[in-house]
Amino acid sequence: MAFGGRAVVLAASVCASLLMAGQASAAQCGNNAGGFEAWKAQFSQEAASRGIGKRGLNALARTSYASKTIAADRGQKSFKLSLNSFMQKRGSNAIISRGKGMKKKYASLFANIEKRYGVPAGPLIAIWGMETGFGGFLGNQNIVSAVATLAYDCRRSEFFTGHLYGALTMVDRGMLDPNARGAAHGEIGQTQFLPGNALKYGVDGDGNGRVDMIRSQADALASTANFLRAHGWQRGAGYQPGQPNFRAIQGWNAASVYQQAIAIMAREIDG
């Protein structure tokens, strides 16, 4: 996912049931584009039986096999770099420099977020800068197609089936345009939430009564703080490796170099 907004997402228990339902899917996965249309037809029936409405089903019907998503999923090499190489490749110095400016520019927003969630500006700004260059590039892949392709692909079908249900539910609820574009794995918005997480942790950070991870910086940053709090963030505790809040950063991304980079950049930004 400027304040005082309410959470407008599914309750955690409902979202969990969607994820479990996705894992129970009987639609036949595949390893190339050949079976995608047949899988869509079968998955559509299952989705309808689990409460996905007309808008979500129509969005699924219009998806196409995302070959670029599959290529990206198979080729995630940067996470295998050393920490120094990873940070250099991701432009950590530029993120830190711009991040300090963002902290001043949006001081009121970050103060409100910290008051509500206990998460200081540094980690949020580091994530924002790492994920999209502070909103500069949100991705160029159709979100629903990307997630549907990964739900069909046998490599991680169970995991992404849950997120596909999340995306279709978001379309049904008017939270996601079926034509919206995001990152290669279907991540959404300024800080790149997967759809199931957007449903579960998305909050209205700008107080306009809806959650918009793509256009609203406040929504995206507040939702990121909400995610971190839900993953164990403790107000006032440290977030470097070995400190209490580093575990929450680990919940955001499973790659060790990513986690360490966020902690280092956040420390520099927070000063």
Side-chain angles (χ1 to χ4, degrees), residues 137-161:
F137 181 67
L138 305 186
N140 56 15
Q141 300 300 304
N142 179 275
I143 290 169
V144 183
S145 286
V147 180
T149 298
L150 291 167
Y152 160 71
D153 186 63
C154 290
R155 182 168 178 256
R156 288 191 285 173
S157 180
E158 289 186 356
F159 177 78
F160 280 101
T161 293

PDB file of all heavy atoms in Angstrom, residues 137-161:
ATOM      1  N   PHE A 137       9.367   4.065 -12.168  1.00  0.00           N
ATOM      2  CA  PHE A 137       9.044   2.976 -13.090  1.00  0.00           C
ATOM      3  C   PHE A 137       8.291   1.893 -12.316  1.00  0.00           C
ATOM      4  O   PHE A 137       8.870   1.214 -11.472  1.00  0.00           O
ATOM      5  CB  PHE A 137      10.301   2.389 -13.734  1.00  0.00           C
ATOM      6  CG  PHE A 137      10.009   1.286 -14.711  1.00  0.00           C
ATOM      7  CD1 PHE A 137       9.343   1.555 -15.896  1.00  0.00           C
ATOM      8  CD2 PHE A 137      10.385  -0.022 -14.439  1.00  0.00           C
ATOM      9  CE1 PHE A 137       9.052   0.531 -16.803  1.00  0.00           C
ATOM     10  CE2 PHE A 137      10.106  -1.050 -15.335  1.00  0.00           C
ATOM     11  CZ  PHE A 137       9.437  -0.768 -16.524  1.00  0.00           C
ATOM     12  N   LEU A 138       7.013   1.752 -12.612  1.00  0.00           N
ATOM     13  CA  LEU A 138       6.163   0.803 -11.903  1.00  0.00           C
ATOM     14  C   LEU A 138       6.040  -0.538 -12.614  1.00  0.00           C
ATOM     15  O   LEU A 138       5.403  -1.453 -12.097  1.00  0.00           O
ATOM     16  CB  LEU A 138       4.757   1.398 -11.706  1.00  0.00           C
ATOM     17  CG  LEU A 138       4.670   2.755 -11.016  1.00  0.00           C
ATOM     18  CD1 LEU A 138       3.206   3.135 -10.780  1.00  0.00           C
ATOM     19  CD2 LEU A 138       5.446   2.767  -9.707  1.00  0.00           C
ATOM     20  N   GLY A 139       6.660  -0.657 -13.780  1.00  0.00           N
ATOM     21  CA  GLY A 139       6.581  -1.902 -14.545  1.00  0.00           C
ATOM     22  C   GLY A 139       5.796  -1.715 -15.819  1.00  0.00           C
ATOM     23  O   GLY A 139       5.053  -0.741 -15.986  1.00  0.00           O
ATOM     24  N   ASN A 140       5.954  -2.666 -16.741  1.00  0.00           N
ATOM     25  CA  ASN A 140       5.284  -2.555 -18.035  1.00  0.00           C
ATOM     26  C   ASN A 140       4.535  -3.820 -18.436  1.00  0.00           C
ATOM     27  O   ASN A 140       4.202  -4.008 -19.604  1.00  0.00           O
ATOM     28  CB  ASN A 140       6.290  -2.173 -19.122  1.00  0.00           C
ATOM     29  CG  ASN A 140       7.447  -3.148 -19.206  1.00  0.00           C
ATOM     30  OD1 ASN A 140       7.402  -4.252 -18.672  1.00  0.00           O
ATOM     31  ND2 ASN A 140       8.518  -2.747 -19.890  1.00  0.00           N
ATOM     32  N   GLN A 141       4.269  -4.705 -17.464  1.00  0.00           N
ATOM     33  CA  GLN A 141       3.549  -5.941 -17.746  1.00  0.00           C
ATOM     34  C   GLN A 141       2.113  -5.851 -17.237  1.00  0.00           C
ATOM     35  O   GLN A 141       1.872  -5.295 -16.161  1.00  0.00           O
ATOM     36  CB  GLN A 141       4.240  -7.126 -17.074  1.00  0.00           C
ATOM     37  CG  GLN A 141       5.671  -7.353 -17.533  1.00  0.00           C
ATOM     38  CD  GLN A 141       5.757  -7.627 -19.021  1.00  0.00           C
ATOM     39  OE1 GLN A 141       5.127  -8.541 -19.534  1.00  0.00           O
ATOM     40  NE2 GLN A 141       6.541  -6.815 -19.724  1.00  0.00           N
ATOM     41  N   ASN A 142       1.172  -6.377 -18.007  1.00  0.00           N
ATOM     42  CA  ASN A 142      -0.200  -6.440 -17.512  1.00  0.00           C
ATOM     43  C   ASN A 142      -0.230  -7.272 -16.238  1.00  0.00           C
ATOM     44  O   ASN A 142       0.221  -8.413 -16.218  1.00  0.00           O
ATOM     45  CB  ASN A 142      -1.123  -7.049 -18.567  1.00  0.00           C
ATOM     46  CG  ASN A 142      -2.554  -7.152 -18.080  1.00  0.00           C
ATOM     47  OD1 ASN A 142      -2.932  -8.115 -17.416  1.00  0.00           O
ATOM     48  ND2 ASN A 142      -3.351  -6.162 -18.397  1.00  0.00           N
ATOM     49  N   ILE A 143      -0.731  -6.692 -15.164  1.00  0.00           N
ATOM     50  CA  ILE A 143      -0.658  -7.335 -13.854  1.00  0.00           C
ATOM     51  C   ILE A 143      -1.420  -8.647 -13.828  1.00  0.00           C
ATOM     52  O   ILE A 143      -0.905  -9.677 -13.373  1.00  0.00           O
ATOM     53  CB  ILE A 143      -1.181  -6.377 -12.764  1.00  0.00           C
ATOM     54  CG1 ILE A 143      -0.191  -5.218 -12.572  1.00  0.00           C
ATOM     55  CG2 ILE A 143      -1.393  -7.113 -11.441  1.00  0.00           C
ATOM     56  CD1 ILE A 143      -0.719  -4.081 -11.729  1.00  0.00           C
ATOM     57  N   VAL A 144      -2.652  -8.640 -14.315  1.00  0.00           N
ATOM     58  CA  VAL A 144      -3.470  -9.852 -14.235  1.00  0.00           C
ATOM     59  C   VAL A 144      -2.884 -10.955 -15.114  1.00  0.00           C
ATOM     60  O   VAL A 144      -2.834 -12.121 -14.709  1.00  0.00           O
ATOM     61  CB  VAL A 144      -4.941  -9.555 -14.605  1.00  0.00           C
ATOM     62  CG1 VAL A 144      -5.793 -10.819 -14.449  1.00  0.00           C
ATOM     63  CG2 VAL A 144      -5.518  -8.443 -13.727  1.00  0.00           C
ATOM     64  N   SER A 145      -2.393 -10.594 -16.292  1.00  0.00           N
ATOM     65  CA  SER A 145      -1.775 -11.604 -17.162  1.00  0.00           C
ATOM     66  C   SER A 145      -0.528 -12.195 -16.526  1.00  0.00           C
ATOM     67  O   SER A 145      -0.293 -13.410 -16.595  1.00  0.00           O
ATOM     68  CB  SER A 145      -1.420 -10.997 -18.523  1.00  0.00           C
ATOM     69  OG  SER A 145      -2.569 -10.787 -19.309  1.00  0.00           O
ATOM     70  N   ALA A 146       0.298 -11.334 -15.915  1.00  0.00           N
ATOM     71  CA  ALA A 146       1.531 -11.821 -15.288  1.00  0.00           C
ATOM     72  C   ALA A 146       1.216 -12.811 -14.171  1.00  0.00           C
ATOM     73  O   ALA A 146       1.818 -13.898 -14.090  1.00  0.00           O
ATOM     74  CB  ALA A 146       2.339 -10.654 -14.741  1.00  0.00           C
ATOM     75  N   VAL A 147       0.275 -12.461 -13.298  1.00  0.00           N
ATOM     76  CA  VAL A 147      -0.039 -13.337 -12.170  1.00  0.00           C
ATOM     77  C   VAL A 147      -0.734 -14.606 -12.657  1.00  0.00           C
ATOM     78  O   VAL A 147      -0.476 -15.706 -12.145  1.00  0.00           O
ATOM     79  CB  VAL A 147      -0.894 -12.590 -11.125  1.00  0.00           C
ATOM     80  CG1 VAL A 147      -1.210 -13.500  -9.950  1.00  0.00           C
ATOM     81  CG2 VAL A 147      -0.167 -11.358 -10.622  1.00  0.00           C
ATOM     82  N   ALA A 148      -1.606 -14.484 -13.651  1.00  0.00           N
ATOM     83  CA  ALA A 148      -2.266 -15.674 -14.197  1.00  0.00           C
ATOM     84  C   ALA A 148      -1.241 -16.623 -14.817  1.00  0.00           C
ATOM     85  O   ALA A 148      -1.325 -17.849 -14.650  1.00  0.00           O
ATOM     86  CB  ALA A 148      -3.307 -15.265 -15.233  1.00  0.00           C
ATOM     87  N   THR A 149      -0.269 -16.078 -15.527  1.00  0.00           N
ATOM     88  CA  THR A 149       0.775 -16.909 -16.137  1.00  0.00           C
ATOM     89  C   THR A 149       1.550 -17.675 -15.073  1.00  0.00           C
ATOM     90  O   THR A 149       1.836 -18.871 -15.230  1.00  0.00           O
ATOM     91  CB  THR A 149       1.719 -16.039 -16.972  1.00  0.00           C
ATOM     92  OG1 THR A 149       0.982 -15.413 -18.028  1.00  0.00           O
ATOM     93  CG2 THR A 149       2.846 -16.859 -17.561  1.00  0.00           C
ATOM     94  N   LEU A 150       1.886 -17.002 -13.981  1.00  0.00           N
ATOM     95  CA  LEU A 150       2.646 -17.662 -12.917  1.00  0.00           C
ATOM     96  C   LEU A 150       1.790 -18.651 -12.133  1.00  0.00           C
ATOM     97  O   LEU A 150       2.306 -19.652 -11.623  1.00  0.00           O
ATOM     98  CB  LEU A 150       3.237 -16.605 -11.983  1.00  0.00           C
ATOM     99  CG  LEU A 150       4.342 -15.757 -12.627  1.00  0.00           C
ATOM    100  CD1 LEU A 150       4.655 -14.533 -11.769  1.00  0.00           C
ATOM    101  CD2 LEU A 150       5.606 -16.590 -12.849  1.00  0.00           C
ATOM    102  N   ALA A 151       0.495 -18.395 -12.043  1.00  0.00           N
ATOM    103  CA  ALA A 151      -0.407 -19.362 -11.409  1.00  0.00           C
ATOM    104  C   ALA A 151      -0.537 -20.618 -12.273  1.00  0.00           C
ATOM    105  O   ALA A 151      -0.683 -21.733 -11.749  1.00  0.00           O
ATOM    106  CB  ALA A 151      -1.777 -18.736 -11.185  1.00  0.00           C
ATOM    107  N   TYR A 152      -0.474 -20.442 -13.571  1.00  0.00           N
ATOM    108  CA  TYR A 152      -0.518 -21.577 -14.504  1.00  0.00           C
ATOM    109  C   TYR A 152       0.807 -22.327 -14.544  1.00  0.00           C
ATOM    110  O   TYR A 152       0.848 -23.560 -14.618  1.00  0.00           O
ATOM    111  CB  TYR A 152      -0.881 -21.053 -15.889  1.00  0.00           C
ATOM    112  CG  TYR A 152      -0.515 -21.975 -17.034  1.00  0.00           C
ATOM    113  CD1 TYR A 152      -1.208 -23.169 -17.251  1.00  0.00           C
ATOM    114  CD2 TYR A 152       0.524 -21.649 -17.908  1.00  0.00           C
ATOM    115  CE1 TYR A 152      -0.867 -24.007 -18.302  1.00  0.00           C
ATOM    116  CE2 TYR A 152       0.866 -22.476 -18.963  1.00  0.00           C
ATOM    117  CZ  TYR A 152       0.164 -23.662 -19.154  1.00  0.00           C
ATOM    118  OH  TYR A 152       0.512 -24.488 -20.193  1.00  0.00           O
ATOM    119  N   ASP A 153       1.901 -21.616 -14.484  1.00  0.00           N
ATOM    120  CA  ASP A 153       3.233 -22.220 -14.591  1.00  0.00           C
ATOM    121  C   ASP A 153       3.478 -23.176 -13.420  1.00  0.00           C
ATOM    122  O   ASP A 153       3.267 -22.818 -12.251  1.00  0.00           O
ATOM    123  CB  ASP A 153       4.286 -21.113 -14.596  1.00  0.00           C
ATOM    124  CG  ASP A 153       5.677 -21.640 -14.855  1.00  0.00           C
ATOM    125  OD1 ASP A 153       5.922 -22.184 -15.939  1.00  0.00           O
ATOM    126  OD2 ASP A 153       6.520 -21.507 -13.947  1.00  0.00           O
ATOM    127  N   CYS A 154       3.960 -24.357 -13.712  1.00  0.00           N
ATOM    128  CA  CYS A 154       4.084 -25.384 -12.676  1.00  0.00           C
ATOM    129  C   CYS A 154       5.128 -25.058 -11.609  1.00  0.00           C
ATOM    130  O   CYS A 154       5.059 -25.600 -10.509  1.00  0.00           O
ATOM    131  CB  CYS A 154       4.435 -26.736 -13.313  1.00  0.00           C
ATOM    132  SG  CYS A 154       3.091 -27.487 -14.269  1.00  0.00           S
ATOM    133  N   ARG A 155       6.068 -24.168 -11.907  1.00  0.00           N
ATOM    134  CA  ARG A 155       7.177 -23.919 -10.991  1.00  0.00           C
ATOM    135  C   ARG A 155       6.700 -23.449  -9.616  1.00  0.00           C
ATOM    136  O   ARG A 155       7.169 -23.932  -8.590  1.00  0.00           O
ATOM    137  CB  ARG A 155       8.131 -22.901 -11.598  1.00  0.00           C
ATOM    138  CG  ARG A 155       9.355 -22.603 -10.731  1.00  0.00           C
ATOM    139  CD  ARG A 155      10.385 -21.817 -11.513  1.00  0.00           C
ATOM    140  NE  ARG A 155      11.530 -21.488 -10.680  1.00  0.00           N
ATOM    141  CZ  ARG A 155      11.765 -20.283 -10.165  1.00  0.00           C
ATOM    142  NH1 ARG A 155      10.922 -19.288 -10.422  1.00  0.00           N
ATOM    143  NH2 ARG A 155      12.822 -20.055  -9.427  1.00  0.00           N
ATOM    144  N   ARG A 156       5.775 -22.482  -9.595  1.00  0.00           N
ATOM    145  CA  ARG A 156       5.276 -21.972  -8.312  1.00  0.00           C
ATOM    146  C   ARG A 156       3.765 -21.729  -8.388  1.00  0.00           C
ATOM    147  O   ARG A 156       3.259 -20.704  -7.942  1.00  0.00           O
ATOM    148  CB  ARG A 156       6.016 -20.684  -7.936  1.00  0.00           C
ATOM    149  CG  ARG A 156       7.449 -20.924  -7.522  1.00  0.00           C
ATOM    150  CD  ARG A 156       8.066 -19.680  -6.904  1.00  0.00           C
ATOM    151  NE  ARG A 156       8.394 -18.692  -7.931  1.00  0.00           N
ATOM    152  CZ  ARG A 156       8.827 -17.459  -7.647  1.00  0.00           C
ATOM    153  NH1 ARG A 156       8.946 -17.070  -6.396  1.00  0.00           N
ATOM    154  NH2 ARG A 156       9.139 -16.628  -8.610  1.00  0.00           N
ATOM    155  N   SER A 157       3.080 -22.717  -8.932  1.00  0.00           N
ATOM    156  CA  SER A 157       1.649 -22.560  -9.193  1.00  0.00           C
ATOM    157  C   SER A 157       0.849 -22.287  -7.929  1.00  0.00           C
ATOM    158  O   SER A 157      -0.004 -21.397  -7.896  1.00  0.00           O
ATOM    159  CB  SER A 157       1.118 -23.817  -9.892  1.00  0.00           C
ATOM    160  OG  SER A 157      -0.255 -23.690 -10.157  1.00  0.00           O
ATOM    161  N   GLU A 158       1.104 -23.030  -6.869  1.00  0.00           N
ATOM    162  CA  GLU A 158       0.313 -22.867  -5.659  1.00  0.00           C
ATOM    163  C   GLU A 158       0.459 -21.469  -5.086  1.00  0.00           C
ATOM    164  O   GLU A 158      -0.523 -20.831  -4.697  1.00  0.00           O
ATOM    165  CB  GLU A 158       0.707 -23.922  -4.616  1.00  0.00           C
ATOM    166  CG  GLU A 158       0.254 -25.326  -4.967  1.00  0.00           C
ATOM    167  CD  GLU A 158       0.534 -26.309  -3.848  1.00  0.00           C
ATOM    168  OE1 GLU A 158       1.140 -25.898  -2.831  1.00  0.00           O
ATOM    169  OE2 GLU A 158       0.147 -27.466  -3.980  1.00  0.00           O
ATOM    170  N   PHE A 159       1.678 -20.978  -5.018  1.00  0.00           N
ATOM    171  CA  PHE A 159       1.930 -19.653  -4.461  1.00  0.00           C
ATOM    172  C   PHE A 159       1.210 -18.576  -5.256  1.00  0.00           C
ATOM    173  O   PHE A 159       0.511 -17.722  -4.691  1.00  0.00           O
ATOM    174  CB  PHE A 159       3.440 -19.390  -4.447  1.00  0.00           C
ATOM    175  CG  PHE A 159       3.814 -18.021  -3.956  1.00  0.00           C
ATOM    176  CD1 PHE A 159       3.817 -17.737  -2.599  1.00  0.00           C
ATOM    177  CD2 PHE A 159       4.177 -17.025  -4.854  1.00  0.00           C
ATOM    178  CE1 PHE A 159       4.169 -16.470  -2.141  1.00  0.00           C
ATOM    179  CE2 PHE A 159       4.521 -15.763  -4.406  1.00  0.00           C
ATOM    180  CZ  PHE A 159       4.520 -15.481  -3.042  1.00  0.00           C
ATOM    181  N   PHE A 160       1.340 -18.605  -6.579  1.00  0.00           N
ATOM    182  CA  PHE A 160       0.763 -17.537  -7.383  1.00  0.00           C
ATOM    183  C   PHE A 160      -0.731 -17.717  -7.635  1.00  0.00           C
ATOM    184  O   PHE A 160      -1.404 -16.745  -7.990  1.00  0.00           O
ATOM    185  CB  PHE A 160       1.538 -17.379  -8.694  1.00  0.00           C
ATOM    186  CG  PHE A 160       2.804 -16.600  -8.516  1.00  0.00           C
ATOM    187  CD1 PHE A 160       4.034 -17.244  -8.433  1.00  0.00           C
ATOM    188  CD2 PHE A 160       2.781 -15.216  -8.393  1.00  0.00           C
ATOM    189  CE1 PHE A 160       5.204 -16.525  -8.242  1.00  0.00           C
ATOM    190  CE2 PHE A 160       3.937 -14.486  -8.200  1.00  0.00           C
ATOM    191  CZ  PHE A 160       5.155 -15.144  -8.124  1.00  0.00           C
ATOM    192  N   THR A 161      -1.259 -18.909  -7.439  1.00  0.00           N
ATOM    193  CA  THR A 161      -2.702 -19.072  -7.532  1.00  0.00           C
ATOM    194  C   THR A 161      -3.400 -18.223  -6.475  1.00  0.00           C
ATOM    195  O   THR A 161      -4.413 -17.568  -6.746  1.00  0.00           O
ATOM    196  CB  THR A 161      -3.104 -20.551  -7.376  1.00  0.00           C
ATOM    197  OG1 THR A 161      -2.621 -21.274  -8.516  1.00  0.00           O
ATOM    198  CG2 THR A 161      -4.616 -20.717  -7.312  1.00  0.00           C
TER     199      THR A 161
END
